[in-house]
Amino acid sequence: MNSRQQNEQRLMIVTGIIQQLMHTRTQKLFKNFTISTSEFSLLCHLSHNPERSWIISELVEVMEMNQPGITKLVASLCNKSAINVAVDEFDKRKRHLTITPKGLQLCNEIMQKLQPDISLCFADWQDIELQKMLKNSEKLMKWLDENRL
């Protein structure tokens, strides 16, 4: 194995460890919130383009969750008035989902509550380090998004 392959493998291992540590940390932080991490992830996804409506099958694909899981999240967020569900006028089986102003507010409130911990994670980082990490992370995210299994 050459040096590049060793670095690639090490990067995947480190990324996996980061993912696990972030998951555990996030679960603990969300114990104090009114929504789950999964609900927050869905709200964040919808908040990037609040005018767009989504159907369940589209969310299944982009969120990489199964249909019953997405349906459960949608029902929960609908009960919290965080998303709106409208029946398609041509196909009654289809539901169009949009984030509500309350959902956007909830998403923003959670981000504000998370900000002190986020800042703590990066307190020792220089701005240039943050920018490089963000650029490289976005590059990896884009590749993974375009090359889903």
Side-chain angles (χ1 to χ4, degrees), residues 2 13 22 50 69 83 87 89 99 103 112 117-118 122 134 144:
N2 64 36
I13 290 168
M22 287 298 299
I83 62 170
V87 177
E89 62 181 291
I99 192 166
Q112 287 175 359
D117 192 67
I118 294 169
F122 297 107
L134 181 59
L144 289 169

Side-chain angles (χ1 to χ4, degrees), residues 79-133:
N79 287 338
K80 295 173 181 166
S81 301
I83 62 170
N84 184 47
V85 179
V87 177
D88 187 275
E89 62 181 291
F90 301 109
D91 184 348
K92 302 297 181 203
R93 297 168 297 169
K94 226 185 248 188
R95 308 279 189 264
H96 294 275
L97 315 169
T98 54
I99 192 166
T100 64
K102 184 174 181 178
L104 286 169
Q105 179 183 351
L106 183 58
C107 194
N108 288 332
E109 287 173 3
I110 298 289
M111 283 304 287
Q112 287 175 359
K113 290 177 182 177
L114 290 171
Q115 189 57 55
D117 192 67
I118 294 169
S119 294
L120 186 62
C121 288
F122 297 107
D124 295 336
W125 291 48
Q126 299 297 315
D127 288 347
I128 191 74
E129 292 174 301
L130 282 173
Q131 291 166 355
K132 285 181 182 177
M133 179 71 161

